[in-house]
Amino acid sequence: MKPYPVTFEPQFKERIWGGRRLSGLFGKTLPGTNPIGESWEITDRPEGVSVIRNGPWAGRTLRWLLENHGSEVLGRPVSPGERFPWLIKILDARDDLSLQVHPPAHRAEALCGEPKTEMWYFAAADPGAKIYVGLKPGVTRGEFEQRVADGTVAGCFHVETPSRGDAMFVPSGRVHALGGGSVVFEIQQNSDTTYRVFDWNRKGLDGKPRELHLEPSMASIDFDDVSPGLIQSQWSDDGDVRRRSLVAHELFQIDEWKFDHAASVPDGRPPGTPSVIAVVEGGLRLPSGGEVLELGAGGFVLIPAVAESMIFDAQPGTTLLRVLPRS
Protein backbone atom coordinates (compact mmCIF):
# COMPACT_ATOMS: atom_id res chain seq x y z
CA MET A 1 0.00 0.00 0.00
CA LYS A 2 1.38 3.41 -0.90
CA PRO A 3 1.12 6.44 1.38
CA TYR A 4 -2.04 8.54 1.19
CA PRO A 5 -2.83 12.06 2.50
CA VAL A 6 -2.68 11.83 6.28
CA THR A 7 -3.89 13.91 9.20
CA PHE A 8 -2.54 13.72 12.72
CA GLU A 9 -3.60 14.02 16.35
CA PRO A 10 -2.37 17.35 17.78
CA GLN A 11 -0.03 17.33 20.76
CA PHE A 12 -0.72 20.08 23.28
CA LYS A 13 2.05 21.72 25.28
CA GLU A 14 1.48 23.68 28.48
CA ARG A 15 3.32 27.00 28.49
CA ILE A 16 3.32 29.74 31.12
CA TRP A 17 2.58 32.32 28.39
CA GLY A 18 -0.20 30.29 26.75
CA GLY A 19 -3.99 30.52 26.80
CA ARG A 20 -7.09 28.55 25.86
CA ARG A 21 -8.02 30.19 22.52
CA LEU A 22 -7.29 27.14 20.39
CA SER A 23 -10.57 25.65 21.56
CA GLY A 24 -12.78 28.52 20.42
CA LEU A 25 -10.86 29.38 17.26
CA PHE A 26 -10.22 25.88 15.94
CA GLY A 27 -12.39 23.48 17.95
CA LYS A 28 -9.37 21.86 19.62
CA THR A 29 -10.24 19.69 22.63
CA LEU A 30 -7.75 21.03 25.14
CA PRO A 31 -6.71 18.98 28.17
CA GLY A 32 -7.20 20.20 31.74
CA THR A 33 -7.43 23.88 32.62
CA ASN A 34 -3.79 25.02 32.44
CA PRO A 35 -2.58 27.43 29.73
CA ILE A 36 -1.83 25.70 26.41
CA GLY A 37 0.77 27.60 24.45
CA GLU A 38 1.53 25.19 21.63
CA SER A 39 -0.34 22.64 19.56
CA TRP A 40 2.20 20.52 17.71
CA GLU A 41 0.31 19.57 14.58
CA ILE A 42 2.99 17.73 12.58
CA THR A 43 6.02 16.62 14.54
CA ASP A 44 8.75 14.03 14.23
CA ARG A 45 10.77 14.90 17.30
CA PRO A 46 12.18 12.70 20.09
CA GLU A 47 10.01 14.66 22.54
CA GLY A 48 6.86 14.29 20.46
CA VAL A 49 5.92 12.25 17.38
CA SER A 50 2.63 12.73 15.50
CA VAL A 51 0.10 9.91 15.47
CA ILE A 52 -1.86 9.36 12.26
CA ARG A 53 -5.58 10.01 12.67
CA ASN A 54 -7.17 8.84 9.39
CA GLY A 55 -7.26 5.85 7.06
CA PRO A 56 -5.78 2.35 7.27
CA TRP A 57 -2.65 3.57 9.10
CA ALA A 58 -4.55 5.35 11.89
CA GLY A 59 -2.67 4.88 15.15
CA ARG A 60 0.75 4.58 13.53
CA THR A 61 3.23 7.43 13.85
CA LEU A 62 4.93 9.82 11.47
CA ARG A 63 8.20 8.19 12.59
CA TRP A 64 6.89 4.81 11.39
CA LEU A 65 5.79 6.41 8.12
CA LEU A 66 9.27 7.85 7.49
CA GLU A 67 11.01 4.60 8.46
CA ASN A 68 8.85 2.44 6.19
CA HIS A 69 7.81 4.77 3.36
CA GLY A 70 10.23 7.70 3.64
CA SER A 71 11.17 8.02 -0.03
CA GLU A 72 7.52 7.78 -1.09
CA VAL A 73 6.57 10.51 1.39
CA LEU A 74 9.43 12.91 0.67
CA GLY A 75 10.03 12.11 -3.00
CA ARG A 76 13.75 11.50 -2.59
CA PRO A 77 16.12 9.02 -0.95
CA VAL A 78 15.85 9.07 2.84
CA SER A 79 18.77 8.27 5.13
CA PRO A 80 18.32 5.83 8.05
CA GLY A 81 16.97 7.74 11.02
CA GLU A 82 16.25 10.87 8.98
CA ARG A 83 13.36 12.85 10.41
CA PHE A 84 10.54 14.76 8.75
CA PRO A 85 12.06 18.12 7.74
CA TRP A 86 9.49 20.47 9.33
CA LEU A 87 7.86 21.00 12.70
CA ILE A 88 4.46 22.64 12.35
CA LYS A 89 2.58 24.21 15.26
CA ILE A 90 -0.15 26.61 16.29
CA LEU A 91 0.91 29.00 19.07
CA ASP A 92 -1.50 30.77 21.42
CA ALA A 93 0.39 33.63 23.06
CA ARG A 94 -1.76 35.08 25.81
CA ASP A 95 1.34 36.73 27.29
CA ASP A 96 4.72 37.71 25.83
CA LEU A 97 7.10 34.88 25.08
CA SER A 98 10.69 35.15 26.24
CA LEU A 99 13.12 37.27 24.26
CA GLN A 100 15.06 34.53 22.50
CA VAL A 101 17.18 33.37 19.60
CA HIS A 102 17.82 30.14 17.73
CA PRO A 103 21.36 29.18 16.72
CA PRO A 104 22.40 29.75 13.09
CA ALA A 105 23.45 26.71 11.08
CA HIS A 106 27.15 27.55 11.06
CA ARG A 107 27.29 27.75 14.89
CA ALA A 108 24.64 25.30 16.05
CA GLU A 109 26.84 22.23 16.35
CA ALA A 110 29.48 24.06 18.38
CA LEU A 111 26.70 25.28 20.69
CA CYS A 112 25.27 21.74 21.05
CA GLY A 113 22.01 22.85 19.46
CA GLU A 114 20.04 22.67 16.23
CA PRO A 115 19.49 25.56 13.81
CA LYS A 116 15.91 26.77 13.64
CA THR A 117 14.47 28.99 10.93
CA GLU A 118 10.73 29.63 11.06
CA MET A 119 7.79 31.64 9.78
CA TRP A 120 4.85 33.03 11.73
CA TYR A 121 1.44 33.49 10.12
CA PHE A 122 -0.98 35.50 12.25
CA ALA A 123 -4.34 33.77 12.44
CA ALA A 124 -5.41 36.25 15.13
CA ALA A 125 -3.91 39.41 16.57
CA ASP A 126 -5.49 41.57 19.24
CA PRO A 127 -5.36 45.36 18.80
CA GLY A 128 -1.92 46.53 19.84
CA ALA A 129 -0.33 43.07 19.80
CA LYS A 130 3.41 43.31 19.28
CA ILE A 131 6.27 41.20 18.05
CA TYR A 132 9.89 41.85 18.87
CA VAL A 133 12.12 41.07 15.88
CA GLY A 134 15.72 42.02 15.24
CA LEU A 135 17.41 45.07 16.73
CA LYS A 136 16.84 48.78 16.60
CA PRO A 137 19.33 50.75 14.49
CA GLY A 138 22.51 51.57 16.35
CA VAL A 139 22.27 48.91 19.06
CA THR A 140 25.73 47.52 19.75
CA ARG A 141 26.68 44.21 21.29
CA GLY A 142 28.06 46.07 24.32
CA GLU A 143 24.81 47.99 24.87
CA PHE A 144 22.79 44.81 24.43
CA GLU A 145 24.87 42.96 27.06
CA GLN A 146 24.57 45.86 29.50
CA ARG A 147 20.80 46.05 29.09
CA VAL A 148 20.46 42.30 29.55
CA ALA A 149 22.24 42.77 32.87
CA ASP A 150 20.02 45.65 34.02
CA GLY A 151 16.74 44.12 32.78
CA THR A 152 15.95 46.69 30.05
CA VAL A 153 17.03 44.69 27.00
CA ALA A 154 13.51 44.77 25.49
CA GLY A 155 14.30 48.37 24.59
CA CYS A 156 16.95 47.14 22.14
CA PHE A 157 14.42 45.28 19.99
CA HIS A 158 12.74 46.44 16.82
CA VAL A 159 8.95 46.18 17.29
CA GLU A 160 6.25 45.42 14.72
CA THR A 161 2.48 45.47 15.26
CA PRO A 162 0.97 42.62 13.24
CA SER A 163 -2.63 42.21 12.14
CA ARG A 164 -4.59 39.09 11.29
CA GLY A 165 -3.26 37.75 7.98
CA ASP A 166 0.24 39.17 8.38
CA ALA A 167 3.35 36.97 8.30
CA MET A 168 6.89 37.27 9.62
CA PHE A 169 10.02 35.36 8.61
CA VAL A 170 12.39 34.54 11.48
CA PRO A 171 15.71 33.08 10.30
CA SER A 172 18.15 31.48 12.73
CA GLY A 173 20.16 34.18 14.47
CA ARG A 174 17.33 36.75 14.52
CA VAL A 175 16.62 37.66 18.13
CA HIS A 176 12.86 37.78 18.64
CA ALA A 177 9.79 37.31 20.79
CA LEU A 178 6.14 36.78 20.00
CA GLY A 179 4.11 39.27 22.00
CA GLY A 180 0.92 38.50 23.88
CA GLY A 181 -2.43 38.64 22.10
CA SER A 182 -1.52 36.66 18.98
CA VAL A 183 -2.33 33.22 17.62
CA VAL A 184 0.10 32.09 14.95
CA PHE A 185 0.66 29.18 12.64
CA GLU A 186 4.38 28.44 12.98
CA ILE A 187 6.16 26.55 10.22
CA GLN A 188 9.74 25.79 11.12
CA GLN A 189 12.78 23.72 10.57
CA ASN A 190 12.62 20.46 12.56
CA SER A 191 14.37 21.79 15.66
CA ASP A 192 13.43 22.74 19.20
CA THR A 193 16.57 24.62 20.27
CA THR A 194 15.75 27.96 21.87
CA TYR A 195 18.11 30.18 23.85
CA ARG A 196 16.38 32.60 26.21
CA VAL A 197 17.89 36.06 26.51
CA PHE A 198 15.32 37.54 28.92
CA ASP A 199 12.02 36.27 30.32
CA TRP A 200 10.42 39.33 31.90
CA ASN A 201 11.50 38.15 35.39
CA ARG A 202 8.60 35.69 35.57
CA LYS A 203 8.45 32.21 36.99
CA GLY A 204 7.64 28.98 35.16
CA LEU A 205 4.77 26.60 35.77
CA ASP A 206 6.89 25.01 38.51
CA GLY A 207 7.12 28.33 40.37
CA LYS A 208 10.85 28.74 39.70
CA PRO A 209 12.57 31.37 37.52
CA ARG A 210 13.00 30.04 34.00
CA GLU A 211 16.54 29.32 32.88
CA LEU A 212 18.32 31.87 30.69
CA HIS A 213 20.99 30.94 28.14
CA LEU A 214 23.09 34.07 27.87
CA GLU A 215 26.36 32.65 26.56
CA PRO A 216 24.88 30.67 23.62
CA SER A 217 22.44 33.51 22.97
CA MET A 218 25.21 36.04 22.52
CA ALA A 219 27.04 33.60 20.25
CA SER A 220 23.91 33.16 18.11
CA ILE A 221 22.52 36.69 17.71
CA ASP A 222 23.07 38.45 14.41
CA PHE A 223 23.86 41.99 15.57
CA ASP A 224 23.64 43.26 11.99
CA ASP A 225 19.98 42.19 11.74
CA VAL A 226 18.26 45.57 12.08
CA SER A 227 14.57 46.52 11.71
CA PRO A 228 13.22 43.54 9.75
CA GLY A 229 9.69 44.02 8.46
CA LEU A 230 6.57 41.92 8.03
CA ILE A 231 6.41 39.95 4.79
CA GLN A 232 5.26 42.08 1.87
CA SER A 233 4.37 40.20 -1.32
CA GLN A 234 2.09 40.64 -4.28
CA TRP A 235 -1.10 38.67 -4.85
CA SER A 236 -1.94 36.89 -8.08
CA ASP A 237 -5.57 36.15 -8.96
CA ASP A 238 -6.86 33.58 -11.46
CA GLY A 239 -10.53 34.18 -10.65
CA ASP A 240 -10.89 31.15 -8.37
CA VAL A 241 -8.11 31.72 -5.88
CA ARG A 242 -5.77 34.51 -4.88
CA ARG A 243 -2.21 33.45 -4.09
CA ARG A 244 0.95 35.02 -2.74
CA SER A 245 4.39 33.72 -1.84
CA LEU A 246 5.31 34.16 1.83
CA VAL A 247 8.70 32.44 2.00
CA ALA A 248 11.05 31.01 -0.62
CA HIS A 249 13.91 29.56 1.41
CA GLU A 250 16.17 26.54 1.02
CA LEU A 251 14.21 24.84 3.83
CA PHE A 252 10.69 25.43 2.52
CA GLN A 253 8.48 27.35 0.18
CA ILE A 254 5.31 28.70 1.80
CA ASP A 255 2.36 30.18 -0.09
CA GLU A 256 -0.94 31.64 1.07
CA TRP A 257 -4.15 30.89 -0.85
CA LYS A 258 -7.45 32.75 -0.40
CA PHE A 259 -10.85 31.71 -1.76
CA ASP A 260 -13.44 34.48 -1.85
CA HIS A 261 -16.06 32.09 -3.20
CA ALA A 262 -16.50 28.31 -3.42
CA ALA A 263 -14.05 26.87 -5.93
CA SER A 264 -12.39 23.64 -7.02
CA VAL A 265 -8.72 24.01 -7.94
CA PRO A 266 -5.78 21.64 -8.54
CA ASP A 267 -3.36 21.32 -5.63
CA GLY A 268 -0.58 22.56 -7.92
CA ARG A 269 2.22 20.39 -6.56
CA PRO A 270 5.08 19.62 -8.92
CA PRO A 271 5.07 15.86 -9.68
CA GLY A 272 6.83 13.80 -7.02
CA THR A 273 6.72 16.58 -4.42
CA PRO A 274 5.21 16.38 -0.93
CA SER A 275 3.24 19.20 0.64
CA VAL A 276 1.58 20.20 3.87
CA ILE A 277 -1.72 22.07 3.76
CA ALA A 278 -2.81 24.14 6.77
CA VAL A 279 -6.35 25.55 6.83
CA VAL A 280 -6.39 28.91 8.62
CA GLU A 281 -10.10 29.60 8.16
CA GLY A 282 -13.00 28.18 6.19
CA GLY A 283 -12.95 24.59 5.04
CA LEU A 284 -11.46 22.27 2.44
CA ARG A 285 -12.36 18.87 0.99
CA LEU A 286 -9.82 16.63 -0.76
CA PRO A 287 -9.56 12.96 -1.73
CA SER A 288 -7.66 10.66 0.64
CA GLY A 289 -7.27 6.89 0.35
CA GLY A 290 -10.49 6.39 -1.60
CA GLU A 291 -12.43 8.70 0.73
CA VAL A 292 -12.98 12.44 0.96
CA LEU A 293 -11.09 14.21 3.70
CA GLU A 294 -12.69 17.30 5.22
CA LEU A 295 -10.50 19.91 6.91
CA GLY A 296 -11.82 22.82 8.92
CA ALA A 297 -9.97 25.79 10.38
CA GLY A 298 -6.94 24.54 12.28
CA GLY A 299 -6.75 21.38 10.18
CA PHE A 300 -3.54 20.06 8.63
CA VAL A 301 -2.79 17.36 6.08
CA LEU A 302 0.46 15.87 4.80
CA ILE A 303 0.22 14.97 1.12
CA PRO A 304 2.96 12.46 0.22
CA ALA A 305 5.10 12.83 -2.88
CA VAL A 306 3.60 9.69 -4.46
CA ALA A 307 0.05 11.06 -4.27
CA GLU A 308 -1.37 12.03 -7.64
CA SER A 309 -2.41 15.60 -8.28
CA MET A 310 -5.73 16.23 -6.59
CA ILE A 311 -8.52 18.77 -6.55
CA PHE A 312 -9.16 21.01 -3.55
CA ASP A 313 -12.82 21.89 -2.99
CA ALA A 314 -12.78 25.07 -0.92
CA GLN A 315 -15.63 26.78 0.90
CA PRO A 316 -16.13 30.53 0.46
CA GLY A 317 -13.82 32.49 2.74
CA THR A 318 -11.19 29.77 3.01
CA THR A 319 -7.57 30.70 3.68
CA LEU A 320 -4.87 28.05 3.57
CA LEU A 321 -1.12 27.81 3.73
CA ARG A 322 0.75 25.43 1.41
CA VAL A 323 4.23 24.23 2.35
CA LEU A 324 6.54 22.64 -0.21
CA PRO A 325 10.21 21.72 -0.17
CA ARG A 326 12.22 24.27 -2.12
CA SER A 327 12.89 22.91 -5.60
Side-chain angles (χ1 to χ4, degrees):
M1 179 177 178
K2 72 178 184 179
Y4 54 90
V6 289
T7 61
F8 300 96
E9 301 288 348
Q11 298 188 18
F12 301 110
K13 308 291 183 179
E14 293 184 10
R15 299 289 186 259
I16 191 66
W17 43 262
R20 306 285 295 183
R21 295 176 75 179
L22 301 185
S23 175
L25 287 174
F26 304 118
K28 306 286 185 184
T29 303
L30 303 182
T33 59
N34 286 339
I36 301 297
E38 303 185 10
S39 176
W40 289 21
E41 298 288 340
I42 302 181
T43 170
D44 183 16
R45 298 283 307 161
E47 61 272 34
V49 178
S50 290
V51 176
I52 297 172
R53 170 185 279 171
N54 67 309
W57 290 337
R60 295 189 182 273
T61 66
L62 179 55
R63 179 91 300 270
W64 174 89
L65 190 60
L66 266 289
E67 288 173 347
N68 291 274
H69 300 276
S71 61
E72 294 171 284
V73 171
L74 297 181
R76 57 171 174 77
V78 173
S79 303
E82 181 178 347
R83 295 190 175 272
F84 190 70
W86 310 316
L87 174 57
I88 297 179
K89 310 174 182 178
I90 307 177
L91 307 185
D92 175 11
R94 181 192 61 191
D95 296 323
D96 293 346
L97 277 68
S98 62
L99 301 172
Q100 59 188 242
V101 67
H102 310 302
H106 66 283
R107 292 180 179 163
E109 185 175 358
L111 295 171
C112 300
E114 300 169 305
K116 179 178 171 184
T117 286
E118 60 195 12
M119 187 210 72
W120 298 333
Y121 180 91
F122 290 82
D126 294 342
K130 298 177 181 178
I131 54 174
Y132 304 82
V133 283
L135 300 171
K136 290 181 177 178
V139 171
T140 65
R141 182 188 179 103
E143 178 188 358
F144 191 92
E145 289 178 326
Q146 177 59 44
R147 296 187 70 170
V148 167
D150 65 23
T152 63
V153 71
C156 294
F157 282 66
H158 172 67
V159 176
E160 291 279 346
T161 304
S163 299
R164 180 171 168 263
D166 280 336
M168 185 76 204
F169 182 56
V170 185
S172 290
R174 173 169 289 171
V175 67
H176 64 276
L178 184 64
S182 293
V183 175
V184 306
F185 282 48
E186 183 177 82
I187 298 162
Q188 61 167 86
Q189 194 171 3
N190 187 344
S191 165
D192 204 37
T193 298
T194 296
Y195 299 138
R196 294 191 195 101
V197 177
F198 183 66
D199 197 35
W200 315 103
N201 300 313
R202 67 184 161 199
K203 296 179 180 179
L205 292 170
D206 60 2
K208 300 177 181 179
R210 296 213 295 168
E211 181 183 6
L212 301 181
H213 315 98
L214 298 182
E215 186 174 339
S217 291
M218 297 305 294
S220 298
I221 294 170
D222 179 358
F223 284 93
D224 294 323
D225 184 26
V226 175
S227 302
L230 295 164
I231 293 170
Q232 304 292 330
S233 52
Q234 297 297 314
W235 291 93
S236 63
D237 188 345
D238 66 7
D240 287 325
V241 58
R242 291 183 288 132
R243 299 180 176 92
R244 68 168 177 152
S245 173
L246 297 177
V247 176
H249 188 269
E250 64 182 14
L251 295 170
F252 39 57
Q253 177 175 318
I254 306 172
D255 303 314
E256 180 182 7
W257 294 17
K258 281 186 173 292
F259 297 83
D260 296 323
H261 54 82
S264 297
V265 300
D267 68 356
R269 288 179 302 122
T273 304
S275 68
V276 168
I277 302 299
V279 180
V280 180
E281 59 184 331
L284 193 69
R285 301 172 79 245
L286 69 157
S288 173
E291 301 179 346
V292 175
L293 190 62
E294 297 194 13
L295 297 177
F300 296 75
V301 60
L302 166 59
I303 301 176
V306 295
E308 296 179 359
S309 179
M310 59 187 64
I311 298 297
F312 291 164
D313 291 323
Q315 298 175 1
T318 294
T319 297
L320 63 83
L321 304 178
R322 186 187 68 164
V323 188
L324 299 172
R326 187 73 189 276
S327 57

